Amino acid sequence: MINNNELDLLLNNNFVVDYSPASLEKEIAQNVFTIFITSKYSVPLDREFGLDVSLLDMPMTTAKALLMNEIVNAIETYEPRVKITQIELEGDMDGKFYPHIKFLIKL
């Protein structure tokens, strides 16, 4: 069963880490953020956790497509309670990408 309330999450430098989230939505948002900020191969007992940072050295258009694919695969693998409905990569003048993820929660 899927909760029909779509959640909207912008993963940027303003995201506040909450180690004791008060709701399921906040817990899931925290987990998605953790997946996003973790470099693949940096977790000792689960080297596949996180995102592949080698994408950062690729041309922007290639990196965007591959990064979106990485995000979807990582979230589907490590946060199975989420059904992604939309991902957009918002960029700034410094060439930084900030994923804007819309998703539903599977109950």
Side-chain angles (χ1 to χ4, degrees):
M1 187 160 108
I2 295 178
N3 180 350
N4 288 328
N5 296 331
E6 187 172 61
L7 300 172
D8 196 350
L9 180 62
L10 178 61
L11 300 174
N12 61 16
N13 293 336
N14 297 325
F15 188 87
V16 177
V17 176
D18 182 3
Y19 292 106
S20 58
S23 68
L24 178 65
E25 290 84 3
K26 288 184 179 183
E27 176 186 335
I28 289 174
Q30 176 71 36
N31 291 348
V32 170
F33 181 72
T34 301
I35 292 166
F36 178 70
I37 64 168
T38 304
S39 300
K40 203 175 248 190
Y41 313 113
S42 68
V43 179
L45 297 176
D46 192 354
R47 298 290 184 189
E48 290 297 312
F49 183 85
L51 301 178
D52 185 1
V53 294
S54 70
L55 303 175
L56 301 176
D57 294 328
M58 295 182 175
M60 194 173 280
T61 53
T62 305
K64 275 178 118 172
L66 292 173
L67 182 59
M68 288 175 68
N69 186 52
E70 275 282 309
I71 291 169
V72 170
N73 289 336
I75 291 173
E76 286 178 351
T77 301
Y78 293 103
E79 187 46 87
R81 298 175 290 180
V82 168
K83 177 175 177 20
I84 298 171
T85 58
Q86 182 178 356
I87 294 182
E88 294 178 8
L89 292 175
E90 298 181 7
D92 64 13
M93 297 303 288
D94 295 328
K96 295 178 184 172
F97 294 125
Y98 298 105
H100 188 176
I101 303 171
K102 294 184 180 184
F103 60 91
L104 301 170
I105 296 176
K106 298 177 188 177
L107 302 175

XYZ file of all heavy atoms in Angstrom:
861
model
N 0.843 -1.177 0.000
C 0.000 0.000 0.000
C 0.893 1.246 0.000
O 1.939 1.270 0.646
C -0.882 -0.015 1.245
C -1.908 1.072 1.245
S -3.246 0.685 2.357
C -2.907 1.830 3.648
N 0.483 2.264 -0.721
C 1.279 3.492 -0.840
C 0.478 4.664 -0.281
O -0.691 4.840 -0.592
C 1.669 3.758 -2.303
C 2.599 2.654 -2.798
C 2.320 5.112 -2.454
C 3.017 2.793 -4.234
N 1.153 5.466 0.543
C 0.571 6.695 1.057
C 0.526 7.687 -0.107
O 1.528 7.945 -0.756
C 1.451 7.225 2.190
C 0.950 8.508 2.798
O 0.043 9.140 2.280
N 1.549 8.882 3.902
N -0.630 8.275 -0.368
C -0.783 9.159 -1.527
C -0.282 10.575 -1.296
O -0.385 11.406 -2.185
C -2.243 9.191 -1.978
C -2.643 7.886 -2.630
O -1.831 7.234 -3.269
N -3.880 7.488 -2.449
N 0.256 10.863 -0.140
C 0.806 12.195 0.129
C 2.228 12.256 -0.405
O 3.131 11.638 0.152
C 0.797 12.502 1.623
C -0.604 12.565 2.178
O -1.542 12.902 1.481
N -0.747 12.226 3.442
N 2.418 13.002 -1.482
C 3.745 13.120 -2.077
C 4.608 14.041 -1.214
O 4.181 15.117 -0.818
C 3.645 13.659 -3.490
C 4.973 13.638 -4.220
C 4.811 13.994 -5.684
O 4.352 15.103 -5.971
O 5.148 13.150 -6.523
N 5.816 13.594 -0.912
C 6.755 14.391 -0.139
C 7.773 15.011 -1.075
O 8.143 14.436 -2.097
C 7.451 13.525 0.907
C 6.512 12.874 1.921
C 7.273 11.897 2.787
C 5.836 13.917 2.769
N 8.243 16.178 -0.699
C 9.145 16.970 -1.520
C 10.416 17.215 -0.708
O 10.349 17.749 0.390
C 8.443 18.291 -1.845
C 9.080 19.038 -2.982
O 10.177 18.652 -3.411
O 8.475 20.013 -3.432
N 11.558 16.821 -1.246
C 12.806 16.915 -0.507
C 13.883 17.529 -1.391
O 14.198 16.999 -2.452
C 13.228 15.512 -0.050
C 14.495 15.346 0.743
C 14.412 16.094 2.064
C 14.753 13.877 1.014
N 14.438 18.655 -0.964
C 15.568 19.283 -1.657
C 16.812 19.027 -0.821
O 16.906 19.454 0.327
C 15.343 20.785 -1.829
C 16.487 21.553 -2.491
C 16.753 21.041 -3.905
C 16.179 23.039 -2.520
N 17.752 18.264 -1.384
C 18.966 17.892 -0.651
C 20.051 18.913 -0.939
O 20.810 18.784 -1.889
C 19.415 16.487 -1.059
C 18.393 15.393 -0.799
C 18.872 14.073 -1.364
C 18.120 15.266 0.679
N 20.125 19.936 -0.106
C 21.142 20.968 -0.279
C 21.839 21.236 1.052
O 21.641 20.516 2.027
C 20.534 22.245 -0.859
C 19.475 22.857 0.038
O 19.361 22.532 1.209
N 18.687 23.742 -0.513
N 22.652 22.264 1.098
C 23.423 22.562 2.310
C 22.552 23.019 3.473
O 23.026 23.104 4.599
C 24.456 23.646 2.014
C 25.518 23.157 1.057
O 25.762 21.966 0.956
N 26.143 24.068 0.337
N 21.291 23.317 3.230
C 20.395 23.777 4.287
C 19.644 22.638 4.970
O 18.868 22.878 5.878
C 19.380 24.784 3.724
C 20.062 26.021 3.198
O 21.061 26.464 3.737
N 19.528 26.567 2.128
N 19.862 21.394 4.521
C 19.182 20.252 5.129
C 19.689 20.077 6.557
O 20.888 20.034 6.799
C 19.428 18.981 4.318
C 18.596 17.817 4.777
C 17.321 17.640 4.271
C 19.076 16.928 5.709
C 16.541 16.572 4.682
C 18.308 15.859 6.128
C 17.035 15.681 5.614
N 18.771 19.984 7.509
C 19.138 19.860 8.918
C 19.088 18.388 9.320
O 18.070 17.719 9.142
C 18.178 20.679 9.809
C 18.512 20.488 11.275
C 18.224 22.147 9.428
N 20.184 17.897 9.868
C 20.267 16.511 10.327
C 19.531 16.399 11.659
O 19.750 17.172 12.574
C 21.736 16.065 10.482
C 21.820 14.670 11.060
C 22.448 16.152 9.146
N 18.644 15.406 11.747
C 17.863 15.174 12.957
C 18.059 13.718 13.363
O 17.549 12.821 12.704
C 16.391 15.476 12.682
C 15.514 15.313 13.904
O 16.041 15.022 14.992
O 14.289 15.483 13.767
N 18.797 13.495 14.450
C 19.121 12.128 14.853
C 17.992 11.433 15.608
O 18.095 10.246 15.906
C 20.409 12.109 15.670
C 21.604 12.458 14.826
C 22.223 13.684 14.941
C 22.085 11.565 13.874
C 23.310 14.017 14.154
C 23.160 11.883 13.069
C 23.773 13.114 13.222
O 24.837 13.432 12.434
N 16.938 12.143 15.901
C 15.755 11.512 16.494
C 14.504 12.112 15.841
O 13.792 12.901 16.448
C 15.734 11.697 18.009
O 15.751 13.067 18.342
N 14.258 11.728 14.601
C 13.131 12.310 13.872
C 11.800 11.999 14.552
O 11.600 10.919 15.095
C 13.215 11.661 12.492
C 14.094 10.491 12.651
C 14.962 10.720 13.836
N 10.899 12.975 14.505
C 9.622 12.863 15.204
C 8.547 12.151 14.385
O 7.504 11.814 14.925
C 9.141 14.255 15.592
N 8.795 11.926 13.109
C 7.777 11.294 12.269
C 8.437 10.354 11.261
O 9.642 10.430 11.013
C 6.968 12.357 11.529
O 7.779 13.011 10.574
N 7.619 9.505 10.680
C 8.091 8.582 9.657
C 8.629 9.351 8.453
O 9.670 9.000 7.894
C 6.961 7.649 9.216
C 7.296 6.650 8.115
C 8.342 5.651 8.604
C 6.048 5.930 7.649
N 7.951 10.431 8.070
C 8.386 11.236 6.930
C 9.774 11.825 7.164
O 10.622 11.800 6.282
C 7.382 12.368 6.656
C 6.060 11.902 6.111
C 5.071 11.460 7.195
O 5.379 11.569 8.406
O 3.985 11.004 6.822
N 10.005 12.331 8.382
C 11.315 12.908 8.699
C 12.398 11.830 8.763
O 13.533 12.060 8.361
C 11.247 13.683 10.007
C 10.485 14.974 9.879
C 10.510 15.771 11.152
C 9.740 17.072 10.960
N 9.782 17.917 12.132
N 12.042 10.660 9.262
C 13.001 9.549 9.311
C 13.424 9.136 7.903
O 14.614 8.961 7.622
C 12.366 8.356 10.027
C 13.245 7.118 10.038
C 12.537 5.917 10.631
O 11.613 6.092 11.436
O 12.933 4.797 10.273
N 12.462 9.018 7.015
C 12.762 8.621 5.642
C 13.569 9.711 4.936
O 14.522 9.418 4.213
C 11.471 8.265 4.884
C 10.932 6.942 5.443
C 11.699 8.182 3.388
C 9.591 6.530 4.908
N 13.211 10.977 5.149
C 13.981 12.077 4.559
C 15.425 12.040 5.045
O 16.363 12.233 4.260
C 13.335 13.421 4.906
N 15.630 11.775 6.324
C 16.980 11.667 6.886
C 17.748 10.517 6.229
O 18.920 10.656 5.881
C 16.898 11.442 8.400
C 18.232 11.223 9.065
C 19.070 12.475 9.112
O 18.552 13.567 9.289
N 20.361 12.332 8.957
N 17.081 9.377 6.034
C 17.732 8.223 5.405
C 18.128 8.521 3.959
O 19.222 8.162 3.516
C 16.819 7.002 5.463
C 16.631 6.481 6.865
O 17.332 6.873 7.792
N 15.654 5.611 7.032
N 17.246 9.198 3.222
C 17.555 9.567 1.831
C 18.742 10.534 1.806
O 19.651 10.392 0.979
C 16.310 10.160 1.137
C 16.668 10.770 -0.207
C 15.243 9.090 0.970
N 18.753 11.479 2.718
C 19.868 12.429 2.806
C 21.177 11.695 3.107
O 22.209 11.968 2.501
C 19.583 13.475 3.884
C 20.664 14.508 4.023
C 20.847 15.478 3.047
C 21.504 14.514 5.120
C 21.846 16.432 3.166
C 22.498 15.457 5.251
C 22.674 16.425 4.270
N 21.125 10.732 4.021
C 22.324 9.954 4.372
C 22.850 9.184 3.168
O 24.058 9.141 2.928
C 22.030 8.996 5.541
O 21.605 9.771 6.666
C 23.247 8.170 5.913
N 21.955 8.601 2.399
C 22.363 7.902 1.178
C 23.056 8.879 0.231
O 24.104 8.581 -0.339
C 21.149 7.249 0.483
C 20.607 6.101 1.334
C 21.506 6.766 -0.919
C 19.237 5.612 0.903
N 22.476 10.071 0.101
C 23.011 11.058 -0.833
C 24.395 11.574 -0.434
O 25.246 11.791 -1.284
C 22.038 12.226 -0.981
C 22.551 13.297 -1.877
C 22.655 13.081 -3.237
C 22.964 14.510 -1.373
C 23.158 14.061 -4.079
C 23.462 15.499 -2.203
C 23.555 15.272 -3.554
N 24.650 11.767 0.844
C 25.936 12.356 1.259
C 27.042 11.330 1.486
O 28.177 11.703 1.756
C 25.784 13.222 2.528
C 25.350 12.394 3.720
C 24.858 14.389 2.272
C 25.457 13.116 5.050
N 26.716 10.053 1.352
C 27.716 9.008 1.582
C 28.366 8.600 0.269
O 27.682 8.297 -0.705
C 27.059 7.781 2.240
O 26.414 8.185 3.450
C 28.095 6.709 2.550
N 29.686 8.593 0.251
C 30.435 8.152 -0.929
C 30.468 6.634 -0.973
O 30.755 5.989 0.039
C 31.874 8.659 -0.870
O 31.905 10.053 -0.838
N 30.177 6.086 -2.147
C 30.263 4.648 -2.337
C 31.677 4.177 -1.992
O 32.642 4.901 -2.235
C 29.936 4.305 -3.788
C 29.455 2.896 -4.003
C 29.045 2.695 -5.441
C 27.560 2.505 -5.501
N 27.096 2.067 -6.813
N 31.790 3.022 -1.392
C 33.040 2.386 -0.959
C 33.579 2.962 0.345
O 34.642 2.575 0.796
C 34.132 2.435 -2.038
C 33.640 2.035 -3.399
C 33.568 2.950 -4.435
C 33.193 0.743 -3.638
C 33.083 2.599 -5.682
C 32.702 0.375 -4.879
C 32.651 1.302 -5.892
O 32.162 0.951 -7.123
N 32.856 3.882 0.996
C 33.358 4.465 2.246
C 32.792 3.791 3.495
O 33.272 4.040 4.593
C 33.034 5.968 2.298
O 31.640 6.174 2.412
N 31.802 2.935 3.339
C 31.204 2.242 4.492
C 31.842 0.854 4.580
O 31.651 0.030 3.684
C 29.667 2.145 4.341
C 29.051 1.402 5.511
C 29.067 3.537 4.196
N 32.581 0.580 5.640
C 33.363 -0.654 5.717
C 32.596 -1.957 5.489
O 33.072 -2.829 4.784
C 33.950 -0.621 7.125
C 34.016 0.820 7.462
C 32.827 1.438 6.789
N 31.428 -2.120 6.048
C 30.721 -3.392 5.913
C 29.696 -3.399 4.782
O 29.018 -4.397 4.560
C 30.052 -3.771 7.238
C 31.041 -4.002 8.383
C 30.302 -4.281 9.679
C 32.012 -5.122 8.056
N 29.584 -2.299 4.081
C 28.679 -2.227 2.930
C 29.251 -1.237 1.921
O 28.826 -0.096 1.824
C 27.276 -1.816 3.368
C 26.245 -2.008 2.262
O 26.634 -2.342 1.120
O 25.048 -1.812 2.536
N 30.229 -1.681 1.156
C 30.946 -0.809 0.219
C 30.058 -0.241 -0.888
O 30.398 0.766 -1.489
C 32.120 -1.566 -0.412
C 33.166 -2.012 0.587
C 33.914 -0.850 1.119
N 34.983 -1.298 2.013
C 35.682 -0.489 2.755
N 35.457 0.804 2.719
N 36.617 -0.942 3.542
N 28.913 -0.857 -1.163
C 28.020 -0.383 -2.222
C 27.084 0.721 -1.745
O 26.404 1.347 -2.560
C 27.198 -1.546 -2.775
C 28.028 -2.541 -3.573
C 28.643 -1.908 -4.810
O 27.939 -1.219 -5.566
O 29.853 -2.108 -5.024
N 27.031 0.988 -0.436
C 26.127 2.012 0.098
C 26.590 3.397 -0.339
O 27.770 3.716 -0.307
C 26.115 1.943 1.633
C 25.152 2.907 2.266
C 23.829 2.565 2.429
C 25.571 4.157 2.676
C 22.932 3.445 2.999
C 24.682 5.053 3.250
C 23.361 4.695 3.414
N 25.651 4.232 -0.763
C 25.972 5.607 -1.140
C 26.015 5.800 -2.642
O 25.511 4.984 -3.406
N 26.613 6.918 -3.038
C 26.687 7.289 -4.455
C 28.131 7.287 -4.950
O 29.057 7.569 -4.197
C 26.082 8.685 -4.660
C 24.627 8.859 -4.237
C 24.187 10.288 -4.460
C 23.720 7.902 -4.971
N 28.293 6.993 -6.219
C 29.607 6.931 -6.854
C 30.127 8.347 -7.115
O 29.593 9.060 -7.959
C 29.501 6.147 -8.157
C 30.826 5.930 -8.841
O 31.866 6.368 -8.305
O 30.819 5.311 -9.916
N 31.157 8.754 -6.400
C 31.680 10.118 -6.531
C 32.562 10.302 -7.763
O 32.918 11.428 -8.098
C 32.442 10.571 -5.264
C 31.499 10.689 -4.085
C 33.600 9.660 -4.956
N 32.886 9.235 -8.474
C 33.677 9.384 -9.701
C 32.888 10.145 -10.772
O 33.464 10.656 -11.719
C 34.127 8.021 -10.232
O 33.026 7.291 -10.732
N 31.574 10.233 -10.596
C 30.739 10.988 -11.542
C 31.067 12.474 -11.523
O 30.797 13.192 -12.484
C 29.260 10.811 -11.198
C 28.725 9.382 -11.166
C 27.280 9.377 -10.680
C 28.823 8.753 -12.535
N 31.656 12.939 -10.438
C 31.938 14.363 -10.281
C 32.948 14.893 -11.291
O 32.978 16.089 -11.567
C 32.435 14.652 -8.865
C 31.478 14.265 -7.742
C 32.124 14.514 -6.398
C 30.167 14.999 -7.870
N 33.758 14.014 -11.857
C 34.787 14.437 -12.801
C 34.338 14.347 -14.260
O 35.128 14.605 -15.158
C 36.050 13.594 -12.609
C 36.704 13.849 -11.268
O 36.619 14.986 -10.782
O 37.283 12.908 -10.700
N 33.095 13.990 -14.476
C 32.580 13.842 -15.839
C 31.979 15.159 -16.331
O 31.672 16.036 -15.526
C 31.513 12.750 -15.859
C 32.044 11.390 -15.540
S 30.716 10.188 -15.662
C 31.637 8.695 -15.398
N 31.788 15.276 -17.647
C 31.093 16.460 -18.169
C 29.697 16.568 -17.543
O 29.065 15.559 -17.228
C 30.988 16.186 -19.669
C 32.051 15.190 -19.950
C 32.219 14.375 -18.707
N 29.223 17.799 -17.371
C 27.994 18.054 -16.619
C 26.787 17.277 -17.146
O 26.044 16.691 -16.367
C 27.694 19.545 -16.591
C 26.650 19.916 -15.581
S 26.439 21.687 -15.408
C 27.796 22.084 -14.351
N 26.580 17.241 -18.452
C 25.392 16.557 -18.980
C 25.456 15.057 -18.722
O 24.456 14.439 -18.364
C 25.225 16.825 -20.489
O 26.433 16.498 -21.162
C 24.859 18.267 -20.751
N 26.624 14.469 -18.881
C 26.804 13.046 -18.611
C 26.634 12.759 -17.125
O 25.949 11.816 -16.733
C 28.203 12.579 -19.066
O 28.373 12.906 -20.442
C 28.387 11.097 -18.861
N 27.250 13.588 -16.298
C 27.181 13.403 -14.848
C 25.742 13.492 -14.345
O 25.336 12.717 -13.477
C 28.057 14.430 -14.142
N 24.964 14.418 -14.893
C 23.573 14.574 -14.457
C 22.776 13.292 -14.708
O 22.068 12.818 -13.825
C 22.903 15.734 -15.194
C 23.132 17.076 -14.599
C 22.459 18.145 -15.431
C 21.421 18.864 -14.637
N 20.872 20.020 -15.347
N 22.889 12.754 -15.892
C 22.135 11.544 -16.230
C 22.561 10.372 -15.360
O 21.720 9.644 -14.820
C 22.323 11.208 -17.707
N 23.863 10.193 -15.203
C 24.356 9.081 -14.391
C 24.043 9.272 -12.909
O 23.741 8.308 -12.205
C 25.861 8.905 -14.610
C 26.257 8.427 -16.001
C 27.775 8.448 -16.160
C 25.708 7.044 -16.280
N 24.112 10.500 -12.425
C 23.812 10.779 -11.024
C 22.344 10.499 -10.708
O 22.029 9.915 -9.668
C 24.168 12.218 -10.670
C 23.946 12.620 -9.212
C 24.759 11.736 -8.265
C 24.306 14.079 -8.998
N 21.455 10.883 -11.607
C 20.039 10.593 -11.387
C 19.799 9.092 -11.314
O 19.057 8.604 -10.462
C 19.183 11.243 -12.473
C 19.121 12.743 -12.319
S 18.263 13.603 -13.640
C 16.599 13.067 -13.415
N 20.460 8.337 -12.174
C 20.358 6.883 -12.151
C 20.921 6.320 -10.839
O 20.319 5.433 -10.229
C 21.083 6.287 -13.355
C 20.882 4.800 -13.452
O 19.767 4.320 -13.419
N 21.984 4.069 -13.561
N 22.061 6.826 -10.407
C 22.670 6.400 -9.133
C 21.736 6.655 -7.956
O 21.601 5.831 -7.068
C 23.970 7.175 -8.873
C 25.196 6.625 -9.493
C 25.756 5.431 -8.745
O 25.965 5.475 -7.525
O 25.986 4.422 -9.420
N 21.118 7.839 -7.947
C 20.216 8.211 -6.850
C 19.031 7.249 -6.796
O 18.685 6.726 -5.734
C 19.744 9.669 -6.988
C 20.919 10.624 -6.741
C 18.602 9.972 -6.032
C 20.633 12.067 -7.110
N 18.407 7.000 -7.938
C 17.259 6.101 -7.980
C 17.649 4.708 -7.503
O 16.976 4.115 -6.648
C 16.647 6.036 -9.396
C 15.622 4.921 -9.504
C 16.013 7.363 -9.756
N 18.751 4.162 -8.016
C 19.180 2.819 -7.632
C 19.518 2.726 -6.146
O 19.148 1.760 -5.475
C 20.372 2.364 -8.472
C 19.981 2.068 -9.899
O 18.830 1.776 -10.198
N 20.941 2.164 -10.798
N 20.218 3.719 -5.626
C 20.608 3.703 -4.215
C 19.388 3.801 -3.302
O 19.292 3.082 -2.304
C 21.590 4.831 -3.920
N 18.453 4.668 -3.641
C 17.264 4.816 -2.794
C 16.396 3.567 -2.870
O 15.898 3.092 -1.842
C 16.472 6.079 -3.177
C 17.289 7.325 -2.779
C 15.109 6.100 -2.502
C 16.709 8.631 -3.255
N 16.238 2.995 -4.051
C 15.451 1.758 -4.162
C 16.085 0.619 -3.375
O 15.391 -0.208 -2.796
C 15.290 1.354 -5.627
C 14.305 2.209 -6.378
C 14.186 1.831 -7.844
O 14.998 1.004 -8.348
O 13.288 2.369 -8.505
N 17.402 0.586 -3.320
C 18.103 -0.479 -2.611
C 18.092 -0.269 -1.103
O 17.812 -1.204 -0.344
C 19.567 -0.569 -3.096
O 19.568 -0.824 -4.498
C 20.331 -1.667 -2.372
N 18.392 0.942 -0.647
C 18.623 1.180 0.779
C 17.465 1.848 1.516
O 17.512 1.937 2.749
C 19.909 1.982 0.970
C 21.104 1.175 0.574
C 21.757 1.389 -0.636
C 21.578 0.155 1.391
C 22.847 0.625 -1.006
C 22.657 -0.617 1.023
C 23.284 -0.381 -0.174
O 24.350 -1.146 -0.548
N 16.469 2.318 0.824
C 15.273 2.855 1.487
C 14.056 2.359 0.726
O 13.433 3.093 -0.039
C 15.323 4.381 1.556
C 14.210 5.015 2.364
C 13.946 4.370 3.710
O 14.606 4.748 4.687
O 13.068 3.493 3.783
N 13.730 1.057 0.908
C 12.653 0.434 0.134
C 11.257 0.972 0.458
O 10.304 0.659 -0.256
C 12.772 -1.048 0.479
C 13.456 -1.081 1.792
C 14.375 0.108 1.810
N 11.137 1.801 1.483
C 9.825 2.379 1.820
C 9.472 3.554 0.910
O 8.393 4.121 1.022
C 9.810 2.852 3.280
C 10.030 1.720 4.271
C 10.120 2.249 5.676
N 11.360 3.003 5.863
C 11.701 3.590 6.999
N 10.900 3.522 8.053
N 12.838 4.241 7.096
N 10.365 3.906 -0.010
C 10.175 5.080 -0.868
C 9.882 4.663 -2.303
O 10.536 3.787 -2.856
C 11.441 5.970 -0.833
C 11.405 7.023 -1.909
C 11.608 6.597 0.528
N 8.890 5.310 -2.898
C 8.632 5.188 -4.335
C 8.863 6.574 -4.930
O 8.110 7.509 -4.682
C 7.201 4.743 -4.604
C 6.880 4.673 -6.092
C 5.506 4.130 -6.344
C 5.096 4.097 -7.778
N 6.069 4.143 -8.805
N 9.930 6.712 -5.684
C 10.296 8.001 -6.280
C 9.329 8.326 -7.413
O 9.081 7.493 -8.281
C 11.736 7.978 -6.794
C 12.696 7.748 -5.636
C 12.080 9.263 -7.531
C 14.120 7.500 -6.055
N 8.801 9.534 -7.407
C 7.905 9.979 -8.475
C 8.588 10.963 -9.415
O 8.219 11.072 -10.570
C 6.626 10.615 -7.899
O 6.978 11.703 -7.057
C 5.815 9.592 -7.128
N 9.604 11.689 -8.908
C 10.291 12.675 -9.752
C 11.633 13.042 -9.123
O 11.747 13.169 -7.912
C 9.431 13.929 -9.880
C 10.015 14.992 -10.760
C 9.081 16.199 -10.878
O 7.976 16.202 -10.358
N 9.550 17.214 -11.553
N 12.639 13.213 -9.974
C 13.937 13.736 -9.541
C 14.353 14.825 -10.516
O 14.300 14.637 -11.727
C 15.046 12.663 -9.522
C 14.772 11.605 -8.479
C 16.398 13.298 -9.249
C 15.856 10.561 -8.395
N 14.751 15.948 -9.963
C 15.332 17.026 -10.754
C 16.650 17.400 -10.103
O 16.779 17.344 -8.885
C 14.411 18.245 -10.767
C 13.108 18.024 -11.481
C 12.202 19.243 -11.428
O 12.659 20.311 -10.968
O 11.051 19.117 -11.836
N 17.621 17.751 -10.899
C 18.893 18.214 -10.360
C 18.975 19.715 -10.549
O 18.992 20.209 -11.673
C 20.066 17.520 -11.047
C 20.193 16.030 -10.758
C 21.314 15.431 -11.581
C 20.435 15.787 -9.289
N 18.981 20.422 -9.451
C 19.090 21.876 -9.490
C 20.560 22.232 -9.319
O 21.228 21.708 -8.432
C 18.238 22.498 -8.388
C 16.767 22.193 -8.551
C 15.901 22.816 -7.483
O 16.411 23.604 -6.666
O 14.698 22.507 -7.476
N 21.066 23.092 -10.171
C 22.474 23.463 -10.120
C 22.661 24.910 -9.739
O 21.744 25.722 -9.827
N 23.877 25.224 -9.289
C 24.196 26.619 -8.999
C 25.354 27.062 -9.898
O 25.858 26.296 -10.712
C 24.493 26.832 -7.510
C 25.722 26.087 -7.020
O 26.510 25.596 -7.856
O 25.903 25.998 -5.800
N 25.776 28.277 -9.733
C 26.827 28.841 -10.591
C 28.191 28.189 -10.372
O 29.070 28.295 -11.211
C 26.939 30.348 -10.358
C 25.683 31.119 -10.743
S 25.209 30.874 -12.462
C 26.484 31.794 -13.281
N 28.369 27.505 -9.254
C 29.639 26.836 -8.963
C 29.696 25.424 -9.539
O 30.662 24.707 -9.322
C 29.865 26.771 -7.448
C 30.037 28.145 -6.837
O 30.565 29.033 -7.523
O 29.630 28.329 -5.673
N 28.639 25.005 -10.241
C 28.619 23.667 -10.821
C 28.193 22.591 -9.851
O 28.411 21.407 -10.098
N 27.565 22.961 -8.746
C 27.086 21.989 -7.764
C 25.658 21.590 -8.105
O 24.856 22.424 -8.511
C 27.130 22.579 -6.354
C 28.520 22.886 -5.885
C 28.487 23.499 -4.502
C 29.878 23.910 -4.071
N 29.861 24.668 -2.825
N 25.361 20.301 -7.943
C 24.016 19.778 -8.153
C 23.351 19.535 -6.815
O 23.977 19.028 -5.886
C 24.055 18.434 -8.890
C 24.563 18.492 -10.284
C 25.625 17.700 -10.671
C 23.980 19.312 -11.228
C 26.100 17.719 -11.963
C 24.450 19.347 -12.526
C 25.505 18.550 -12.887
N 22.077 19.872 -6.742
C 21.280 19.568 -5.561
C 20.046 18.804 -6.032
O 19.197 19.354 -6.733
C 20.861 20.851 -4.836
C 22.040 21.647 -4.338
C 22.435 22.814 -4.979
C 22.770 21.225 -3.235
C 23.521 23.545 -4.524
C 23.860 21.942 -2.778
C 24.222 23.099 -3.427
O 25.304 23.819 -2.983
N 19.939 17.526 -5.641
C 18.769 16.759 -6.063
C 17.493 17.258 -5.388
O 17.481 17.528 -4.193
C 19.072 15.337 -5.610
C 20.498 15.305 -5.275
C 20.903 16.694 -4.946
N 16.464 17.383 -6.177
C 15.137 17.724 -5.698
C 14.300 16.479 -5.971
O 14.008 16.171 -7.130
C 14.617 18.929 -6.464
C 13.359 19.476 -5.919
N 12.779 20.601 -6.423
C 12.550 19.075 -4.912
C 11.679 20.867 -5.757
N 11.516 19.950 -4.847
N 13.940 15.758 -4.911
C 13.298 14.453 -5.031
C 11.865 14.531 -4.529
O 11.615 15.033 -3.432
C 14.072 13.386 -4.239
C 15.516 13.323 -4.728
C 13.389 12.028 -4.347
C 16.417 12.461 -3.872
N 10.952 14.028 -5.330
C 9.561 13.884 -4.907
C 9.285 12.396 -4.800
O 9.662 11.628 -5.701
C 8.611 14.564 -5.887
C 8.775 16.056 -5.914
C 7.781 16.733 -6.810
C 8.026 18.231 -6.783
N 7.036 18.962 -7.572
N 8.629 11.995 -3.708
C 8.403 10.569 -3.507
C 7.166 10.303 -2.668
O 6.644 11.188 -1.999
C 9.627 9.920 -2.863
C 9.997 10.476 -1.514
C 9.494 9.922 -0.353
C 10.875 11.539 -1.400
C 9.838 10.420 0.890
C 11.236 12.050 -0.163
C 10.721 11.489 0.976
N 6.724 9.062 -2.752
C 5.626 8.556 -1.944
C 6.193 7.540 -0.968
O 7.223 6.909 -1.239
C 4.563 7.886 -2.825
C 3.920 8.774 -3.893
C 3.086 7.920 -4.841
C 3.078 9.856 -3.260
N 5.518 7.371 0.154
C 5.948 6.389 1.142
C 5.120 5.123 0.990
O 3.885 5.178 0.960
C 5.808 6.945 2.576
C 6.734 8.133 2.755
C 6.098 5.855 3.603
C 6.607 8.812 4.093
N 5.800 3.990 0.865
C 5.121 2.688 0.809
C 4.818 2.272 2.237
O 5.704 2.293 3.094
C 6.014 1.643 0.147
C 6.385 1.945 -1.275
C 7.317 0.853 -1.765
C 7.890 1.180 -3.129
N 8.841 0.149 -3.571
N 3.608 1.912 2.488
C 3.220 1.478 3.843
C 3.221 -0.023 3.964
O 3.067 -0.745 3.077
C 1.845 2.041 4.195
C 1.732 3.561 4.141
C 0.300 3.987 4.380
C 2.631 4.200 5.182
